[in-house]
């Protein structure tokens, strides 16, 4: 089969993983509440307020279900990877992170014949449910034209967009899920270099949601996806 030059719009997708990281798929951790102010020195020493009465007990710790992000590259089964990204290695490629304890992303991409597919799965574990809720709302607000995904996590949102550059279409689906104090974000896109068309909206949306469901399950099991 003859080879075709890749359109400029997708050249960066096939560049080293560092290019993708700079494009913004390595997710931010979301807003954190400010640390409480330090107590006056005398109160720290005596445990009493300025009036001499015992100081009030500290507030209860914020709700936190997850302490660490699971291994993202084992969050999807081999069967799901081969279906969504034909020709990709099931092992995937984990992207560099500023804090791999709570923020991890894995990518799969492949060009099979004239069809190109790219899939990202990201986990972002935050300090509290409230911090994750705020971050989820901010991310969803930036993505118009989508809708909720019922029955997935505590809240989930899916959106699909089509872009065209140099006559080449690319269709990309994004699913954002909040589960307690964690966010799961899936990005799935594709193009056909022979027809210059993109896969259908339903195909991309269903593929992204399928990956998101497996990733959410991996969050609860520590990231050990079932083979197959």
């Amino acid at each position: 089969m003859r080879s075709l030059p890749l359109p400029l719009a997708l050249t960066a997708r096939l560049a080293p993983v560092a290019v993708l990281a700079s494009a913004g798929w390595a997710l931010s951790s979301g807003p954190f509440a400010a640390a409480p102010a330090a107590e006056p020195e005398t109160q720290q020493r005596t445990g009493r307020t300025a009036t001499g009465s015992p100081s009030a007990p500290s507030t209860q710790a914020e709700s936190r279900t997850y302490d660490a992000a699971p291994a993202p590259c084992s969050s999807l089964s081999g069967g799901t990877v081969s279906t969504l990204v034909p020709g990709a290695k099931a092992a995937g490629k984990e992207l560099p992170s500023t804090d791999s304890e709570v923020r991890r992303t894995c990518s799969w991409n492949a060009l099979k014949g004239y069809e190109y597919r790219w899939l990202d799965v990201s986990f972002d574990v935050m300090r509290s449910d409230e911090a994750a809720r705020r971050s989820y709302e901010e991310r969803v607000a930036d993505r118009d034209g989508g809708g909720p995904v019922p029955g997935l996590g505590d809240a989930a949102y899916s959106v699909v967009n089509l872009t065209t550059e140099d006559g080449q279409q690319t269709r990309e689906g994004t699913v954002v899920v909040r589960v307690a104090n964690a966010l799961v974000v899936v990005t799935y896109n594709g193009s056909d270099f022979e027809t210059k068309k993109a896969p259908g909206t339903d195909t991309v949306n269903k593929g992204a949601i399928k990956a998101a469901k497996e990733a959410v399950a991996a969050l609860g099991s520590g990231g050990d996806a079932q083979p197959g």
Side-chain angles (χ1 to χ4, degrees), residues 83-84 116-119 149 158-163 169-175 186-192 197-212:
T83 297
L84 298 183
Y116 175 74
R117 297 292 184 271
W118 184 288
L119 175 66
V149 182
S158 174
V159 63
V160 177
N161 293 303
L162 176 67
T163 59
Q169 292 183 345
T170 300
R171 183 167 273 115
E172 180 169 283
T174 303
V175 179
V186 171
T187 304
Y188 179 51
N189 65 51
S191 301
D192 187 309
K197 302 294 184 181
T201 298
D202 196 50
T203 298
V204 171
N205 190 47
K206 286 183 177 180
I209 292 174
K210 176 180 175 62

Side-chain angles (χ1 to χ4, degrees), residues 1-22:
M1 181 176 294
R2 63 188 180 88
S3 60
L4 288 180
L6 302 185
L8 293 176
L10 294 174
T11 300
R13 293 284 190 181
L14 298 174
V17 172
V19 175
L20 176 65
S22 67

Side-chain angles (χ1 to χ4, degrees), residues 134-188:
R134 291 196 304 267
S135 182
Y136 171 84
E137 292 177 352
E138 290 172 359
R139 293 172 193 237
V140 167
D142 291 338
R143 294 176 168 88
D144 296 329
V149 182
L152 182 56
D154 295 317
Y157 182 86
S158 174
V159 63
V160 177
N161 293 303
L162 176 67
T163 59
T164 303
E165 186 171 340
D166 299 329
Q168 175 67 61
Q169 292 183 345
T170 300
R171 183 167 273 115
E172 180 169 283
T174 303
V175 179
V176 183
V177 187
R178 183 182 76 82
V179 187
N181 64 310
L183 291 186
V184 178
V185 180
V186 171
T187 304
Y188 179 51

Side-chain angles (χ1 to χ4, degrees), residues 25-196:
W25 294 122
L27 300 174
S28 60
S29 62
F32 278 39
E39 296 178 325
E41 183 179 357
T42 54
Q43 184 177 341
Q44 292 176 350
R45 290 199 307 262
T46 65
R48 292 177 176 271
T49 63
T51 61
S53 60
S55 57
S58 60
T59 57
Q60 188 175 4
E62 293 181 278
S63 174
R64 183 182 175 93
T65 302
Y66 304 106
D67 292 321
C73 291
S74 60
S75 64
L76 303 184
S77 68
T80 294
V81 172
S82 64
T83 297
L84 298 183
V85 192
K89 295 181 179 179
K93 174 67 175 181
E94 185 163 358
L95 305 184
S97 172
T98 56
D99 188 350
S100 59
E101 180 70 16
V102 296
R103 191 178 308 110
R104 301 178 71 175
T105 300
C106 188
S107 286
W108 296 262
N109 66 90
L111 177 65
K112 186 171 184 180
Y114 295 101
E115 293 193 355
Y116 175 74
R117 297 292 184 271
W118 184 288
L119 175 66
D120 283 348
V121 173
S122 297
F123 295 95
D124 199 351
V125 175
M126 300 185 181
R127 130 178 173 176
S128 68
D129 290 10
E130 178 60 21
R133 184 189 64 79
R134 291 196 304 267
S135 182
Y136 171 84
E137 292 177 352
E138 290 172 359
R139 293 172 193 237
V140 167
D142 291 338
R143 294 176 168 88
D144 296 329
V149 182
L152 182 56
D154 295 317
Y157 182 86
S158 174
V159 63
V160 177
N161 293 303
L162 176 67
T163 59
T164 303
E165 186 171 340
D166 299 329
Q168 175 67 61
Q169 292 183 345
T170 300
R171 183 167 273 115
E172 180 169 283
T174 303
V175 179
V176 183
V177 187
R178 183 182 76 82
V179 187
N181 64 310
L183 291 186
V184 178
V185 180
V186 171
T187 304
Y188 179 51
N189 65 51
S191 301
D192 187 309
F193 295 154
E194 183 174 33
T195 65
K196 292 190 175 295

